[in-house]
Amino acid sequence: MQHPLDPLTVAEIEAGRAVLESAGRVTSTTRCAAVLPVEPSKEAVAAWLPGETVERRILFVALDTSSGRSAEAVVEVTTGTLESWTELTTDVAPYGQPPYLREEFELTEQIVRADPQWQAAMARRGLSPEFAFCAPLAPGFFGRDDEAGHRVIRSLTFLREDAHDSPWSHPVEGLIVHIDLTQRRVLRVEDEGNTPVPSSDGRFGTPAALTERVTLKPIAITQPEGPSYSVDGSAVTWENWSFRVGFNAREGLVLNQVAFDGRPVLYRASVPEMVVPYGDTSPTRFWISYFDAGEYLLGMNANPLMLGCDCLGVIHYFDGVIADGGGHAVTIPQAVCMHEEDYGVLWKHTHLDGTADSRRSRRLVISYFSTIGNYDYGFFWYLYLDGSIEFEAKATGVVFAGAGVPGSSSPHANEIAPGLFAPVHQHLFCARLDVSIDGDANSLAEIDVVRMPTGPDNPHGNAFTWTTTELTSELEAKRVANPAAARVWEITSGSRRNAVGKPTAYHLVPRASATLMAQPDSSVFDRATFATQQLWATPFSPAERFPAGDYPNGHAGGGGLPTWTAADRSIENTDIVLWHVFGPTHIPRPEDWPVMPVDYSGFTFRPYGFLDRNPALDLPSGMIHDDHCAPHGSHHEGHGH
Ligand code: NI
């Protein structure tokens, strides 16, 4: 039975495309740059009864590759109705283009390779173009007449020794090709300097570049009675938790209607944007500031985990359904992985009589991986038995490097292998948390721990306290983290109180991370303003989904959060959406080469008076089977080495 929040199906996307076609909106040059669900209103979801017909709407972002014109088409697929067709004003400031099509990456390579100036630049450097890789890269926005309002891309060249070599280890420094994708031509070629191409071997993986070690003994995770979760379509229940799994081409994994003991916590949670700004002054890289969701589409690039799942245990997979450039449905098999993990000790106490009580923690992991060019990003949601939710981004893959003189130094790039200089950069994710703490009527406050001067209120100097500052409007709610004050943000219910008479609440607990490092007069500051704060809060509006705006590609800036919050709307006792920015600021190191160990970032969303006491007192004590934990540990093989 279909639920209103279920992700799009293959049949729905095909039916929607057929509606566009019969309406005469699909020509030989029409492509679909994004195909996304238009989610039903909260009122419609709340009023829906199982068995009722569900209205299903799809947004097709259509692009005419011959003219560069684009439009948003909304199709209602149950009745087969084209509800709207809205041209996008991509040629008027502040511009903005639909995300790139896969076929435009191939087109970029063809245009570069056929260009006489690029060929001459390669010849001047004595480089063979045979195995060259022409990376297709979002160019940022710098207001040039032939770029503003046009569908443009840039390409940097990397060499490969053969077709299987990792391209990222052999950058051709100072060769930058600017391309107009609509006109299918090179706008200009920058060809600077004579830096040699680094020869450092960047190969890894299979076939192994090294002999694999044989010292690790197997660890087997077995769940002989099966998993503790149950799944019905997109609906999942696990212990006290219930939620629905969603997936779309832009955001990837979405969690809907997350509840604990049947009480709402999050109406919807996703990571709808991230920006990767580079801190390098070089002509080859100063402009780099990829928006991996808005320009490249995170869900579109989700890994089919059937080809290599990274999880252990009894796994449930959800497919991801997206559309190709032709607007036809494509299934990413096993795009989302769900499984349980043992997580050490949840609580423990050794009593006065020497006996101990201990219970093990377990978490439910819902995750996917997306590969955007050189980088791979894991998006991991964790639900815990104590009512906590954690999100963790895992950044791995290959760092993006340029070439330099071996042994030289740069304030903006670290030499990570001989001649290979990896610029300082940031990966700034933005989570969108449509919170719902015991219902929609919520309020927001900031809590800091504060010192108190020694005096009448603190006669011994030891005392300290905490302050609770109500954040009642959008401008008040633009906040940065403060680890030195143990700062957290509290979301309270306007309708329910706990056992000690306080409003039920959750805390958003940030981890230490930097905000956007670029200057306010830079282009990327305007385009990625969301990343200048760690917290924003807005009253729920269905149109406000993407923190850098709907179309950050080629956008001059100002879209999304800075525009919405300028109205300074009230966020008191209402339906609040939190926008939380986090992520690593990366000064690459030799250990990141040639493939980077996972760099972790994220946040916790933790009950704080939402529950009246520890909700995990009833965990069974008999879940610890390892003999090592028995009070008088029996000797058996494995001891005495
Ligand atoms: Ni990085």
Side-chain angles (χ1 to χ4, degrees), residues 375 399 425 427 586 596:
Y375 262 109
V399 295
H425 60 274
H427 305 256
H586 192 184
M596 194 177 116

PDB file of all heavy atoms in Angstrom, residues 375 399 425 427 586 596, ligand 1:
ATOM      1  N   TYR A 375      35.817  12.579  -4.932  1.00  0.00           N
ATOM      2  CA  TYR A 375      35.457  12.341  -3.537  1.00  0.00           C
ATOM      3  C   TYR A 375      34.291  11.369  -3.403  1.00  0.00           C
ATOM      4  O   TYR A 375      33.427  11.293  -4.279  1.00  0.00           O
ATOM      5  CB  TYR A 375      35.047  13.652  -2.849  1.00  0.00           C
ATOM      6  CG  TYR A 375      36.173  14.291  -2.046  1.00  0.00           C
ATOM      7  CD1 TYR A 375      36.783  15.456  -2.466  1.00  0.00           C
ATOM      8  CD2 TYR A 375      36.601  13.701  -0.868  1.00  0.00           C
ATOM      9  CE1 TYR A 375      37.802  16.035  -1.731  1.00  0.00           C
ATOM     10  CE2 TYR A 375      37.628  14.273  -0.132  1.00  0.00           C
ATOM     11  CZ  TYR A 375      38.222  15.437  -0.563  1.00  0.00           C
ATOM     12  OH  TYR A 375      39.231  16.008   0.169  1.00  0.00           O
ATOM     13  N   VAL A 399      41.838  12.993  -2.652  1.00  0.00           N
ATOM     14  CA  VAL A 399      41.914  14.448  -2.547  1.00  0.00           C
ATOM     15  C   VAL A 399      42.268  15.038  -3.911  1.00  0.00           C
ATOM     16  O   VAL A 399      42.921  14.413  -4.749  1.00  0.00           O
ATOM     17  CB  VAL A 399      42.932  14.936  -1.480  1.00  0.00           C
ATOM     18  CG1 VAL A 399      42.513  14.532  -0.093  1.00  0.00           C
ATOM     19  CG2 VAL A 399      44.325  14.439  -1.784  1.00  0.00           C
ATOM     20  N   HIS A 425      40.884  23.219   1.883  1.00  0.00           N
ATOM     21  CA  HIS A 425      39.499  23.352   1.420  1.00  0.00           C
ATOM     22  C   HIS A 425      38.563  22.931   2.545  1.00  0.00           C
ATOM     23  O   HIS A 425      39.003  22.418   3.579  1.00  0.00           O
ATOM     24  CB  HIS A 425      39.268  22.492   0.174  1.00  0.00           C
ATOM     25  CG  HIS A 425      39.521  21.038   0.406  1.00  0.00           C
ATOM     26  ND1 HIS A 425      40.778  20.472   0.293  1.00  0.00           N
ATOM     27  CD2 HIS A 425      38.706  20.035   0.777  1.00  0.00           C
ATOM     28  CE1 HIS A 425      40.698  19.188   0.578  1.00  0.00           C
ATOM     29  NE2 HIS A 425      39.452  18.886   0.886  1.00  0.00           N
ATOM     30  N   HIS A 427      34.643  21.049   3.488  1.00  0.00           N
ATOM     31  CA  HIS A 427      33.460  20.302   3.060  1.00  0.00           C
ATOM     32  C   HIS A 427      32.357  20.711   4.028  1.00  0.00           C
ATOM     33  O   HIS A 427      32.310  20.218   5.155  1.00  0.00           O
ATOM     34  CB  HIS A 427      33.668  18.790   3.169  1.00  0.00           C
ATOM     35  CG  HIS A 427      34.860  18.275   2.439  1.00  0.00           C
ATOM     36  ND1 HIS A 427      34.771  17.615   1.240  1.00  0.00           N
ATOM     37  CD2 HIS A 427      36.175  18.316   2.748  1.00  0.00           C
ATOM     38  CE1 HIS A 427      35.984  17.276   0.833  1.00  0.00           C
ATOM     39  NE2 HIS A 427      36.856  17.686   1.732  1.00  0.00           N
ATOM     40  N   HIS A 586      39.804  20.936   5.668  1.00  0.00           N
ATOM     41  CA  HIS A 586      40.760  19.901   5.305  1.00  0.00           C
ATOM     42  C   HIS A 586      42.068  20.515   4.833  1.00  0.00           C
ATOM     43  O   HIS A 586      42.117  21.138   3.773  1.00  0.00           O
ATOM     44  CB  HIS A 586      40.104  19.056   4.202  1.00  0.00           C
ATOM     45  CG  HIS A 586      40.809  17.781   3.906  1.00  0.00           C
ATOM     46  ND1 HIS A 586      40.416  16.933   2.902  1.00  0.00           N
ATOM     47  CD2 HIS A 586      41.870  17.187   4.481  1.00  0.00           C
ATOM     48  CE1 HIS A 586      41.207  15.894   2.874  1.00  0.00           C
ATOM     49  NE2 HIS A 586      42.108  16.023   3.809  1.00  0.00           N
ATOM     50  N   MET A 596      41.971   8.509   0.742  1.00  0.00           N
ATOM     51  CA  MET A 596      41.902   9.166   2.046  1.00  0.00           C
ATOM     52  C   MET A 596      41.177   8.308   3.081  1.00  0.00           C
ATOM     53  O   MET A 596      40.053   7.878   2.824  1.00  0.00           O
ATOM     54  CB  MET A 596      41.120  10.459   1.822  1.00  0.00           C
ATOM     55  CG  MET A 596      41.183  11.450   2.908  1.00  0.00           C
ATOM     56  SD  MET A 596      40.234  12.891   2.332  1.00  0.00           S
ATOM     57  CE  MET A 596      38.947  12.878   3.528  1.00  0.00           C
TER      58      MET A 596
HETATM   59 NI    NI B   1      38.817  17.137   1.656  1.00  0.00          NI
END
